[in-house]
Amino acid sequence: MTAASHTTTPPTTTATATAAATAAVKATVEAAETARAAGTSDDTADTAAEAIAPWNADPYADALRTGQGPLFLRRSDGWLLPLEVERWCASADAADMSVLRRCEGAVLDVGCGPGRLVAALSSLGRRVLGIDVSPAAVARTVGLGGTALRRSVFDPLPGEGRWGSVLLLDGNLGIGGDPEALLERCARLLAPHGLLLAETSALDVDERAQVRIDDGRGTCPRPDGGQLFPWARLGTRALLRYALPAGWSAAGQWECGGRCFVTLRRP
């Protein structure tokens, strides 16, 4: 896909809303940083059990700890979607930075994984909080000096309605297997006119499936073979089909390093 890059000029109120979001969320992120430094961070707070369980599976936790795959999402028909563990565990690359430089205000990284985006945003001077349901992901993010909490995006979160930007990269548009519900949730997290920055599939796809985490070796330490959970894959056109009728406005589309990105502005 060669996406025609386009941008829209946000209303004057966007700058005011973004500044207000930054100020309001700053205290939240600082409190989380202070708690982490003091060893009292609520990183292990309970989240929905069905959200946590698959990402606690040994293959996923082991891959994040070692920084190496192979790791896949396996559909019930046996099809495998590779997960780019090595890239996730490396430093932010040029494609990542093309997204991060577009962020506004304080940033919430949904499904932060091993924390490269949280670390990169911190180095750019952004206030940023990562959330992930995986303890291994949170631990690795904190180990990089980032701030992260063990949360599902659908759990109560700090700073709801005040974030300047929300990130959904590395396939995280698939979270929950219901793009419309995820977009609705992100709208509630963002400040008015806040920015959602999402990575879409390079394929023109709109897919929902039940998947499980798989190491590709035909071995699984769990007697149930790994818990199935809902996931989705969306191309850019599919994302816009859900977002525009819901009131989001398209703020930009681009490609970098073979990856596709979209920015949407909350009404």
Side-chain angles (χ1 to χ4, degrees):
M1 174 183 91
T2 303
S5 178
H6 67 275
T7 58
T8 58
T9 302
T12 303
T13 53
T14 299
T16 302
T18 300
T22 301
V25 173
K26 179 180 178 181
T28 297
V29 177
E30 287 179 340
E33 290 169 345
T34 300
R36 183 199 64 189
T40 59
S41 175
D42 191 21
D43 292 345
T44 57
D46 289 338
T47 65
E50 61 271 21
I52 289 178
W55 305 102
N56 273 347
D58 288 351
Y60 182 74
D62 290 347
L64 290 195
R65 291 188 188 103
T66 63
Q68 295 182 326
L71 198 67
F72 304 88
L73 293 182
R74 179 186 287 272
R75 284 192 321 218
S76 55
D77 63 3
W79 181 84
L80 295 173
L81 175 67
L83 300 179
E84 299 181 77
V85 175
E86 289 84 358
R87 180 174 64 78
W88 297 350
C89 291
S91 298
D93 61 19
D96 295 327
M97 297 307 295
S98 77
V99 179
L100 303 187
R101 292 192 179 99
R102 288 170 163 86
C103 288
E104 301 172 354
V107 183
L108 181 68
D109 184 8
V110 174
C112 65
R116 78 186 191 286
L117 303 178
V118 172
L121 281 164
S122 296
S123 73
L124 294 174
R126 288 281 176 199
R127 292 283 176 180
V128 54
L129 176 67
I131 59 168
D132 204 292
V133 297
S134 163
V138 170
R140 183 149 180 156
T141 301
V142 171
L144 292 176
T147 301
L149 298 175
R150 186 184 177 195
R151 297 285 192 280
S152 162
V153 66
F154 296 106
D155 288 334
L157 294 173
E160 294 198 15
R162 300 192 298 273
W163 293 97
S165 301
V166 168
L167 297 180
L168 285 173
L169 303 190
D170 300 331
N172 284 329
L173 269 175
I175 290 173
D178 186 341
E180 291 168 300
L182 184 59
L183 285 169
E184 181 183 353
R185 177 59 176 146
C186 289
R188 294 200 305 270
L189 292 169
L190 284 164
H193 310 296
L195 202 62
L196 175 63
L197 302 100
E199 181 173 356
T200 57
S201 172
L203 303 175
D204 185 15
V205 64
D206 183 356
E207 176 185 89
R208 323 290 175 87
Q210 293 288 318
V211 300
R212 64 177 174 85
I213 295 168
D214 193 291
D215 63 7
R217 301 184 180 97
T219 59
C220 182
R222 297 167 57 102
D224 61 2
Q227 178 175 326
L228 289 169
F229 57 97
W231 201 253
R233 287 197 305 153
L234 298 181
T236 295
R237 291 202 300 178
L239 173 59
L240 294 177
R241 278 200 304 270
Y242 294 117
L244 299 183
W248 296 87
S249 59
Q253 300 177 36
W254 72 99
E255 284 187 18
C256 187
R259 297 162 64 195
C260 302
F261 305 98
V262 176
T263 53
L264 298 171
R265 195 167 294 279
R266 195 202 123 171

